[in-house]
Structure formats: structure tokens, C-alpha cells
Amino acid sequence: MSANGQQHDVRSQLRNPLKRARGLGSAHSGVGHWWTQRVTAAALVFLALWFVVTVLGALHADYATARSIVARPWNAVLLVAFVLTVCWHAVLGLQIVIEDYVHTRWKEVALLVLVKFIAVLGTLATLMAVLHVALGA
Amino acid sequence: MADTRRPLSPHLQIYKWQVQMVTSILHRATGIALSVGTLLVLWGVFSLASGEDSYNRFKACIGSPVGMVLLLGWTWSLFYHLCNGIRHLFQDGGMGYAIPQFVRSSWLSIVGSIVLTLVVWAYVLSSGGAA
């Protein structure tokens, strides 16, 4: 391994250089989870504030008014973006909570998969409902 | 199951409570609460898509006393997770790790979230309830 005769750390001698180059670590996914959680968090700072303001603007709205608020193009786009980002961020966050506290492997995996299914279904359902309202079907 | 002969970290109840610990625990707790609360958003949008009756039923539910209490809880959870989340983003940038700053920003998250919740609910109640 140490062809040039230099003293190496024992660990770096046992590690395949390709592993270092890929930078994916023992979890095989690198910093992807961490980074995506931060990016969705930054997006949600703005989307969540927009959501609160929009909901407060829709207080006491009757059916037709509420529909027209959701049907406005920017509101429809941001609402779908909000729910998509919330679900994504929630999946990443709940994953860590589940991995930390659920110590029976099959229950852990089942919960992780269940959370992902619910998040994807929730996102698709919101998309369909918003399209339904926005396009006036 | 885990091999219980290995040394375990001390249990939560032996620690003296500190605000930094509270903010950390609350961040997780509010995150879980908000995940569940997202289903309410889904229900709201769905009720809009499925007709006036279901929308009015949705409004009646969120405007009921139980609905209002849940909404109050979710409002605070959202603002707390938002404030403390921004605090964590600054910490991810390497800022605010000195102990006095860390404690101060913890209190800022807690107080800020309560103030924002009060502002929103003062507006909601002054305009006559949630729905």
C-alpha cells in the first residue's frame, strides 16, 4: 500500500482510496441527508411565512372566496411547493427520530417506509386537489 | 436488542434542566407535531376540492373549541420550529457556539415563538375566531 515508504495512519492503509474519493462514508450517502434537510429548511422559512399570511388572509372566507384564493396562480404554485417541501423535510426529520428511538429493526424499517408512503401520497393528493381547484374541474 | 452490558449514557432525569436542552427536545417534539399537522392542510385543500358541504364541515371542525386548541398548538409549534430552525441554520454556519450566545439564542427562540403566536392569535380572535 505505502509504496513510497512513508509512514501512514493504519486506517488510511486499510481504506480503499476510492472510498475517500467518493466521500460517501459509512452510511453510503455522504452528506446528502444533512444538506437536503438544510436546503428544505431554508425554503420553508419563506414558504411557511407565506402560508401563515395566506391563511390569515383567508380567515372567515366562504367557499367561493376560499376557492378563488387557492386558484390564484401564485397561490396554487406556492401551496404545492409548500406541501411538497414540508413533506420532504418531515420525511428527513422523522427518519432521524425513528432511527434514534426505534431499536427493533423490522419496526424501524416498517415505520421509515410508512412515513415515506404517507408523505408521497400526501404530496400527490395535495397536488391533485390544488389542480382540481385551480383549473376549475 | 442492544447488549446491555456495555456502558449506557446517563438517563435524562439525572441532568439539571437547562434551556439549551429544552430547545433541543422541543425542536424534535414540535417537528413531530407539525408532521401530523400537515394532514390538516391536506384535509383543508381536499375539502375545497370536494365541494361546499365538505368545506363547511372542515370549517366547523377547525372552528370548534377542540379545533381551536389544536390550531393554537400547531401555530406555536410552527413558530417555535421556525425560530429555532433559523437558529440552527446560523449554528450550521459556525455562529453562536459560545455558551452565553447559545443560551441567549435558546431563549430568543422560545420567547420569539410565543410572541409570534400571540400576535397571530390576537389577530384571529379580534376578527372573531378561526373559521
Side-chain angles (χ1 to χ4, degrees), chain A residues 98 102-114, chain B residues 1:
Chain A
I98 291 166
V102 181
H103 298 305
T104 310
R105 184 62 177 157
W106 72 267
K107 287 181 189 163
E108 183 187 345
V109 173
L111 267 176
L112 289 172
V113 172
L114 184 68
Chain B
M1 280 301 290

Side-chain angles (χ1 to χ4, degrees), chain A residues 49 52 56, chain B residues 72 75-76 78-80 82-84 86 108-123:
Chain A
L49 288 174
V52 170
L56 288 180
Chain B
L72 177 66
T75 311
W76 175 73
L78 178 75
F79 281 131
Y80 176 76
L82 180 68
C83 292
N84 203 52
I86 292 171
L108 203 61
S109 291
I110 293 172
V111 174
S113 65
I114 293 172
V115 169
L116 285 168
T117 307
L118 289 177
V119 167
V120 162
W121 277 83
Y123 176 77

Side-chain angles (χ1 to χ4, degrees), chain B residues 56-111:
Chain B
N56 287 334
R57 223 174 304 129
F58 171 72
K59 261 177 62 161
C61 286
I62 62 169
S64 69
V66 176
M68 299 259 277
V69 169
L70 284 174
L71 277 179
L72 177 66
W74 273 315
T75 311
W76 175 73
S77 295
L78 178 75
F79 281 131
Y80 176 76
H81 205 84
L82 180 68
C83 292
N84 203 52
I86 292 171
R87 171 173 169 259
H88 278 314
L89 286 175
F90 277 106
Q91 287 168 349
D92 290 334
M95 283 166 263
Y97 276 103
I99 291 172
Q101 291 175 326
F102 207 85
V103 171
R104 197 185 329 124
S105 62
S106 289
W107 281 111
L108 203 61
S109 291
I110 293 172
V111 174

Side-chain angles (χ1 to χ4, degrees), chain B residues 11-27:
Chain B
H11 290 290
L12 210 53
Q13 55 267 33
I14 76 153
Y15 288 109
K16 175 168 168 278
W17 280 81
Q18 295 173 310
V19 68
Q20 307 93 297
M21 183 175 163
V22 177
T23 46
S24 175
I25 293 166
L26 283 179
H27 201 71

